[in-house]
Amino acid sequence: MQALIEVILPVFLVIGYGYLARRQGWVSDELVDNVMKFAQNFAVPLLLFSGISKMDLAQNFHPPILISFYAGALSGGLFCFLGARYLFGRDLTDAVAIGFIGLFSNSLLLGIPITERAYGEAALAGNFAIISIHSPLLYGIGIAAMEIARTRGLGLSGFGLMRQIARSVLRNPLILGISAGWIVNLTQITLPVPVWDAVSLMSRAAIPAALFGLGGVLLRYKPEGDMRIIAWAVFASLVLHPAIAYGLAHFGFGLDIGSLRSATLTAAMAPGVNAYLFANMYGVAKRVAASSVLLGTGLSILSIWCWLAILP
């Protein structure tokens, strides 16, 4: 109960505040969108830049933690895709978009604040290692699968497909922040103190702004119909993904407690808003994606509590 009150509840209260503010009309949809744009295009990329540029690669960029997390992510995505395609009989492009729900957890907007509140800022190194390849890898997989599903092998060459994937991925501000962090880390560039101070100021605004904006955005996602497939996708995100990550990290690789916590908690987060943005970008399975994000975020209050109780 203490973990629920002290760790999880403050994060979801900020989300709830954003939800209430939009529901009551205290803020407009335009303001919510602008808050999210500020967070996702400016503040959060700088948070990622700061975390990755200062990350100890030898200690934290550890293949077993990445294998544990991403094996769970890929399993969740495949579970959703196969269920949508063969159990629920959805169109191939719909199935790809639904698969993306199980693939893409909210590792950033929920994973970072939950981990920090539970275990302190020093515990975030493993999270940043996971996040450093999260968007490039999973968006690359999702876009490639969708383009193949849309063309069915026609009209798009291998080179054209690779160019489409690269264009879509490299335009993402989060990936630009991640890339800049990698450059500074690997080249050991020394930035002036005022620059780091400015980055720190912006970084501190990232999570509160993103959580408030997320609450406002979630008001738009009303769960309607398709409840069986929505439940299937939410199960993949909240149960299957973290269970596989925990099993591999703990029993397979015997990771230290810090890495085990980062891999499991990051995997235990609800489907990210990017799951809806991906579906919206292609105009398929939007209702399933939106409802999965909303219901998964609400139910994750309890599922995260359970995972915090399981973790040492």
Side-chain angles (χ1 to χ4, degrees):
M1 183 62 72
Q2 184 178 2
L4 177 65
I5 296 173
E6 295 183 0
V7 176
I8 302 170
L9 192 57
V11 172
F12 283 90
L13 282 176
V14 178
I15 296 174
Y17 188 35
Y19 187 95
L20 179 64
R22 180 64 201 99
R23 183 180 179 87
Q24 296 298 113
W26 299 336
V27 297
S28 64
D29 271 337
E30 183 181 8
L31 188 145
V32 169
D33 287 340
N34 286 334
V35 168
M36 287 299 285
K37 286 178 182 177
F38 163 75
Q40 293 185 328
N41 294 345
F42 300 98
V44 172
L46 285 174
L47 174 67
L48 294 175
F49 165 76
S50 177
I52 292 169
S53 63
K54 298 175 181 178
M55 184 170 61
D56 185 340
L57 296 180
Q59 181 177 350
N60 297 306
F61 205 77
H62 190 38
I65 188 176
L66 301 177
I67 294 171
S68 299
F69 176 86
Y70 286 104
L74 292 171
S75 297
L78 186 62
F79 179 83
C80 288
F81 171 80
L82 293 176
R85 182 67 175 152
Y86 298 108
L87 182 61
F88 299 103
R90 301 295 290 252
D91 180 80
L92 186 58
T93 52
D94 272 21
V96 171
I98 293 166
F100 197 78
I101 299 170
L103 188 69
F104 207 101
S105 60
N106 201 336
S107 61
L108 183 60
L109 303 188
L110 290 179
I112 285 180
I114 292 291
T115 304
E116 183 177 10
R117 290 197 61 81
Y119 306 117
E121 187 176 353
L124 293 177
N127 293 56
F128 283 123
I130 291 169
I131 292 169
S132 68
I133 62 171
H134 192 252
S135 290
L137 176 62
L138 299 188
Y139 259 114
I141 292 171
I143 292 169
M146 183 62 79
E147 293 300 335
I148 292 170
R150 292 173 72 197
T151 59
R152 311 288 176 90
L154 300 175
L156 194 65
S157 66
F159 176 76
L161 177 60
M162 293 300 296
R163 184 173 60 183
Q164 172 69 15
I165 295 169
R167 184 187 300 118
S168 299
V169 169
L170 294 177
R171 286 178 177 175
N172 190 314
L174 299 177
I175 294 173
L176 295 177
I178 289 168
S179 301
W182 275 109
I183 291 170
V184 171
N185 192 310
L186 293 173
T187 60
Q188 294 295 299
I189 295 173
T190 302
L191 299 179
V193 172
V195 172
W196 279 121
D197 288 344
V199 169
S200 177
L201 283 172
M202 286 286 285
S203 298
R204 286 199 293 270
I207 296 302
L211 292 175
F212 181 88
L214 176 61
V217 169
L218 287 176
L219 181 65
R220 305 172 191 173
Y221 302 161
K222 304 187 188 312
E224 299 173 324
D226 297 317
M227 290 308 298
R228 290 193 304 157
I229 196 168
I230 291 167
W232 186 268
V234 170
F235 172 83
S237 290
L238 301 186
V239 180
L240 182 63
H241 184 180
I244 292 174
Y246 177 82
L248 285 175
H250 186 51
F251 300 107
F253 296 112
L255 293 182
D256 63 86
I257 185 59
S259 297
L260 176 63
R261 287 167 173 169
S262 290
T264 305
L265 273 187
T266 308
M269 296 303 126
V273 172
N274 284 303
Y276 171 73
L277 298 178
F278 182 83
N280 188 60
M281 179 169 64
Y282 289 101
V284 294
K286 292 189 290 184
R287 183 168 63 182
V288 174
S291 298
S292 297
V293 171
L294 177 60
L295 294 178
T297 301
L299 290 173
S300 67
I301 297 175
L302 298 177
S303 64
I304 292 168
W305 184 21
C306 292
W307 284 111
L308 286 172
I310 292 170
L311 290 167

